[in-house]
Amino acid sequence: MHSPHTSLSQIDHRPWSLPNENWAWRQSWYDLAFIHVRVPLESIRDKIPAELEIDTFDGSAWVGIVPFNMVDVMKRGVPSIYPFAHFLELNLRTYVTHEGKSGVWFFSLDTTNLPLVLGGRYLYGVPYHQASMKYSFDNPPHHFYSRRRFSGATLETEFQPQGEIFTAQNGSFEHWATERYCLFSLSVFGRLMQVDVHHHMWPLQHAEGKLIQNDLLSSKGISTHDDSPLFHFSTGVDTISFTPRVLKC
C-alpha cells in the first residue's frame, strides 16, 4: 500500500502500526534543537482541547521549543518547488495522549514561509505565524534568532551539541519527548484532528545552551519557573505524513 520513501526502511520502532493507506506528504526536519522547560500543568490545561490528556514526565508537564530547518515539503509524487524546498521553522509544543496514542500539540508554529502560514492557518487551523529568522552554523555555538511579525514575540538561543549521537532508550526523557508519531490540531471548523507521521528514530545528541530571549511562552500565557532548560540536538529525519483524521466534529 505504501509508496517507497526512505523513512519506511525502518518501522519496527513505531508504537503502533502505520495507517493502512498511502502517505500524503513528505518533508524533512533538519538541524533541530530540542529545548524543554517544565511548566505547571494548570498553566496549559485550558489551552488544549479537553479530549486530549496532557502527558507528563517526572511528575511535570513540559513545553518544547524546537527551531529547525524545514526541507522538501511537498505532496507525494510532486517534485520539490520554491518556496517549500527550504525554510526555517520554530515550534512551541507540548505532549498529549488520545486513546493510548502519544502525540504533540502545537501552541504555535513560526516560519519564514508566508504561503505555509496562510495555508496552514486558514485551510487547516494550524496556528502558524510569519517571522523573520536567522540560523547560523558558521562558528560554534549554533545561533538561532526569530522575531514574529506583528506581535514581535522573539526567541534567541545559542546551543552546542555535545558527545556521541545516540537513539533514545524506552523510558528515558529523550524517548518520551521525541518519539511521537502523531500530531493534533483544531481545524478552522473546530474539529479535533489527528495527523499520523512516520520517520526513523531520532539521532540525538546532548547539548549545552542558553535562552538569550524567550517571549514564546508568555505570548501564549504560559508560565514557568524553570531556569534550567534541557537542550538536545538532532541532525534530523526524513518524514512522511498521512491524511488528517477527524477525531471530533
Side-chain angles (χ1 to χ4, degrees), residues 76-115:
R76 179 173 57 88
V78 179
S80 180
I81 59 172
Y82 177 85
F84 300 101
H86 184 205
F87 53 94
L88 296 176
E89 188 162 315
L90 169 63
N91 297 341
L92 182 67
R93 68 194 217 175
T94 195
Y95 305 106
V96 296
T97 61
H98 179 76
E99 296 183 350
K101 291 186 175 182
S102 56
V104 173
W105 175 265
F106 292 111
F107 295 112
S108 63
L109 304 92
D110 290 42
T111 181
T112 55
N113 189 325
L114 180 58

Side-chain angles (χ1 to χ4, degrees), residues 147-181:
R147 181 175 177 83
R148 188 177 296 168
R149 190 178 180 187
F150 303 121
S151 74
T154 299
L155 176 82
E156 185 174 8
T157 182
E158 291 182 345
F159 53 92
Q160 182 63 36
Q162 302 286 326
E164 299 296 321
I165 295 174
F166 66 96
T167 54
Q169 296 296 310
N170 194 19
S172 67
F173 175 80
E174 291 85 357
H175 191 279
W176 176 86
T178 63
E179 293 298 319
R180 292 174 177 264
Y181 293 88

Side-chain angles (χ1 to χ4, degrees), residues 172-200:
S172 67
F173 175 80
E174 291 85 357
H175 191 279
W176 176 86
T178 63
E179 293 298 319
R180 292 174 177 264
Y181 293 88
C182 64
L183 318 172
F184 297 99
S185 66
L186 282 179
S187 75
V188 290
F189 302 107
R191 296 172 177 170
L192 182 61
M193 311 291 290
Q194 176 183 313
V195 178
D196 281 272
V197 301
H198 178 71
H199 49 74
H200 290 182

Side-chain angles (χ1 to χ4, degrees), residues 20-65:
N20 189 28
E21 62 186 67
N22 256 320
W23 55 273
W25 289 81
R26 69 177 186 274
Q27 53 200 279
S28 294
W29 306 330
Y30 292 157
D31 309 317
L32 301 92
F34 290 104
I35 308 167
H36 285 98
V37 295
R38 294 177 187 262
V39 298
L41 189 148
E42 60 270 18
S43 75
I44 61 174
R45 177 62 276 183
D46 64 352
K47 299 171 177 60
I48 299 168
E51 294 82 6
L52 301 177
E53 181 180 352
I54 297 175
D55 209 353
T56 61
F57 187 91
D58 194 24
S60 296
W62 294 77
V63 166
I65 303 164

